[in-house]
Amino acid sequence: MTAIIPPLPADLNDGLKRLKMAAMRQLAPELLITAKTQRWNPEEFLRTLIEAEIASRDASNIRTRMRQASFPVTKTLDEFDIAASSIPPATFDYLASLEWIRAAENVCLIGPAGTGKSHTLIGLGIAAVEHGHRVRYFTAAELVETLYRGLADNSVGKLIDSLLRNDLVLVDELGFAPLDDTGAQLLFRFVAASYERRSLGIASHWPFESWGRFLPEHTTAVSMLDRLLHHCHTVVTNGDSYRMRQARTTGGTRPKTS
Ligand SMILES: Nc1ncnc2c1ncn2[C@@H]1O[C@H](COP(=O)(O)OP(=O)(O)OP(=O)(O)O)[C@@H](O)[C@H]1O
Ligand SMILES: [Mg+2]
């Protein structure tokens, strides 16, 4: 038979409700019984309640920041098989330490399809959220589209400021599609505004010397790279596509190219 737990006295319940101490309010009735039967020291009782409230708020803040980050999928650093990647373990460990975010430095992942760029980027983003940072993930196309919308009502500056309230902005798939002049200028404005203020995490197929392929004006590519690379950890991912390797080991076949 389970003991019936008496509800909290109404004044305590209302007080905790008003103070928005939801976890304390939920835990208190049962904890009062435990504390009485086990003759807890009052300090211990208070500590347990406070710790429960803090843990619940931390978890709720992480959930909110995780939602705001808009990760397209969940990929964690723990799931990343470093041995199967070309990223040196020491580099991976340094990136996973998130020190570069505290120093407002950038990370650029450069490599061909399926070599773990997005996985690493998202894994770093999720780790950053779990450590209390604010993060926002975009594909380059989404970021440029968002900035484009600001052109209509002259709010690009405000938009960029609000994006830079994040500690880390991730820009994936840079160069998948070429940018027009305006798109390139908008991206440049964003990179210039973040320079030495916030961390950017960029992933691209294209080595830096080929960025002129998707940035129409040579000077934009040069000025953007100059700022991006000043305080940057560049990681080259190469080798076979992990997707193809998995497809082969699970009995799949390469897609036909003709
Ligand atoms: N080293 C790895 N360990 C575990 N999973 C990996 C690894 N590398 C890649 N993967 C997995 O392989 C798939 C492709 O990786 P990912 O999306 O990161 O590639 P990408 O480099 O971003 O490719 P693209 O340039 O096409 O966007 C994902 O499901 C990812 O989780
Ligand atoms: Mg990718």
Side-chain angles (χ1 to χ4, degrees), residues 156-169:
V156 176
K158 261 197 214 152
L159 256 172
I160 290 178
D161 282 347
S162 76
L163 291 180
L164 294 181
R165 276 191 219 118
N166 292 290
D167 304 300
L168 170 65
V169 179

Side-chain angles (χ1 to χ4, degrees), residues 51-65 129:
E51 280 175 356
E53 188 64 41
I54 290 175
S56 145
R57 290 197 188 190
D58 284 350
S60 146
N61 286 340
I62 287 178
R63 277 197 303 276
T64 305
R65 284 199 309 272
V129 168

Side-chain angles (χ1 to χ4, degrees), residues 117-118 172-173 243:
K117 301 182 299 297
S118 298
D172 202 358
E173 302 181 354
R243 296 185 189 109

Side-chain angles (χ1 to χ4, degrees), residues 101-254:
I101 299 179
R102 284 168 218 120
E105 293 172 349
N106 303 325
V107 167
C108 282
L109 296 157
I110 309 290
T115 51
K117 301 182 299 297
S118 298
H119 188 136
T120 309
L121 215 54
I122 293 167
L124 290 170
I126 287 178
V129 168
E130 284 167 348
H131 283 80
H133 293 295
R134 270 170 305 180
V135 179
R136 180 71 165 88
Y137 171 99
F138 289 99
T139 61
E142 286 164 353
L143 174 62
V144 171
E145 208 179 287
T146 302
L147 296 176
Y148 245 107
R149 270 185 243 126
L151 278 181
D153 57 358
N154 212 13
S155 64
V156 176
K158 261 197 214 152
L159 256 172
I160 290 178
D161 282 347
S162 76
L163 291 180
L164 294 181
R165 276 191 219 118
N166 292 290
D167 304 300
L168 170 65
V169 179
L170 301 171
V171 185
D172 202 358
E173 302 181 354
L174 182 61
F176 263 37
L179 295 170
D180 63 14
D181 278 347
T182 313
Q185 282 305 325
L186 288 169
L187 191 62
F188 172 74
R189 264 181 83 177
F190 174 71
V191 170
S194 69
Y195 176 59
E196 297 191 330
R197 282 178 60 203
R198 292 291 185 268
S199 289
L200 299 182
I202 308 267
S204 178
H205 282 170
W206 297 108
F208 300 126
E209 60 274 17
S210 303
W211 280 28
R213 283 171 181 257
F214 60 89
L215 294 167
E217 248 195 275
H218 179 67
T219 46
T220 312
V222 171
S223 308
M224 191 188 298
L225 279 169
D226 202 51
R227 284 162 179 75
L228 200 58
L229 300 185
H230 185 194
H231 308 289
C232 185
H233 304 276
T234 300
V235 181
V236 176
T237 60
N238 50 33
D240 274 358
S241 161
Y242 197 88
R243 296 185 189 109
M244 288 302 167
R245 258 188 277 173
Q246 265 194 339
R248 282 199 295 271
T249 53
T250 54
T253 49
R254 276 178 184 276

